[in-house]
Amino acid sequence: MSKVILKTALKTLLIVAVVVLVAFGIASLGFPSEMAGLCEKSGNYSMATGYANLSYTYSKNVNDLNRCFADSIYAKNDNDIVKFGDKLIADEKFSEVCENAEKVVELQVNYKQYVCGHVSAAKYRRGNKDDAFNTATAAMEGVEGFPKNNALAMLSLQVIESRDKDTAAKLLNEITTNHQEAGNDYYNAFIKELNNVGGQD
């Protein structure tokens, strides 16, 4: 009798497990945006990035692509930051995304600089120094002064932390040549730190 009960219990558990797996699979494939939201709420941003990417694959909506990028930052995944960031920057609706993001009251940074800065820093951490520099300088084309949290500043923070003399010197030349009119405390602080790392002996 006990064997029959045990077999029945095991079969029931197996059926429940299969049903749960099927339901999870259907939810994952059919409602990736909602699944991304659940993962974000639980703090699992790696999985959230995957679901957001699946949602983008279905929708081709730039907001889903922006979500992929945002989740990859929280996940601290440099490969995904570069992958989705480069794609976002190249999207024809990137400027629209930036305009919408900057309407958020809490956002105290130019969104284009935020995106390009994170992509540039991620490229640098992956060892792609030239590509990182090019991404940051391209983001700053036409920008007057040296606004806070700009792409060159975000890259500079990584370079200063790494004590990378050559890249620091390169950034120092770029900033003093093309943004020398800034002259504020924020600008001067970066010039000082870059000089400490990459200045002439």
Side-chain angles (χ1 to χ4, degrees):
M1 179 66 76
S2 59
K3 288 184 178 181
V4 174
I5 293 172
L6 181 60
K7 286 182 179 180
T8 303
L10 288 173
K11 286 181 180 178
T12 302
L13 284 173
L14 181 60
I15 291 170
V16 170
V18 170
V19 170
V20 169
L21 285 173
V22 170
F24 183 78
I26 291 172
S28 296
L29 294 174
F31 307 97
S33 181
E34 289 76 7
M35 292 297 291
L38 289 173
C39 291
E40 288 164 354
K41 288 178 181 177
S42 68
N44 191 337
Y45 289 101
S46 293
M47 285 191 70
T49 302
Y51 283 122
N53 186 34
L54 182 59
S55 183
Y56 173 68
T57 301
Y58 293 160
S59 70
K60 297 303 178 186
N61 187 311
V62 70
N63 292 317
D64 286 331
L65 178 57
N66 188 40
R67 188 179 193 178
C68 293
F69 173 72
D71 284 339
S72 66
I73 290 175
Y74 286 119
K76 298 180 180 180
N77 186 319
D78 285 340
N79 289 332
D80 282 346
I81 291 171
V82 172
K83 174 184 174 182
F84 296 119
D86 273 343
K87 191 178 290 188
L88 180 60
I89 293 166
D91 195 283
E92 61 182 11
K93 292 187 177 180
F94 179 48
S95 59
E96 183 181 314
V97 170
C98 293
E99 288 175 12
N100 291 335
E102 286 162 19
K103 290 176 183 177
V104 178
V105 177
E106 295 82 4
L107 192 65
Q108 300 296 320
V109 61
N110 178 287
Y111 196 66
K112 177 181 178 181
Q113 297 301 317
Y114 174 83
V115 173
C116 294
H118 273 291
V119 172
S120 176
K123 287 177 177 179
Y124 180 81
R125 290 191 295 268
R126 295 200 315 172
N128 302 331
K129 295 182 181 181
D130 289 339
D131 199 9
F133 180 82
N134 292 337
T135 297
T137 52
M140 288 291 283
E141 287 180 7
V143 175
E144 294 183 6
F146 198 70
K148 289 186 177 181
N149 302 312
N150 67 70
L152 283 171
M154 292 176 74
L155 175 58
S156 293
L157 289 173
Q158 293 294 316
V159 172
I160 291 165
E161 183 180 338
S162 299
R163 310 302 294 176
D164 178 352
K165 183 173 182 177
D166 291 340
T167 309
K170 192 174 179 181
L171 282 167
L172 189 61
N173 179 66
E174 170 66 23
I175 295 170
T176 55
T177 299
N178 296 307
H179 302 279
Q180 73 273 19
E181 75 280 7
N184 54 38
D185 290 343
Y186 186 73
Y187 171 89
N188 291 333
F190 275 96
I191 295 302
K192 179 181 178 180
E193 290 302 320
L194 287 170
N195 256 315
N196 287 339
V197 176
Q200 295 296 318
D201 296 327

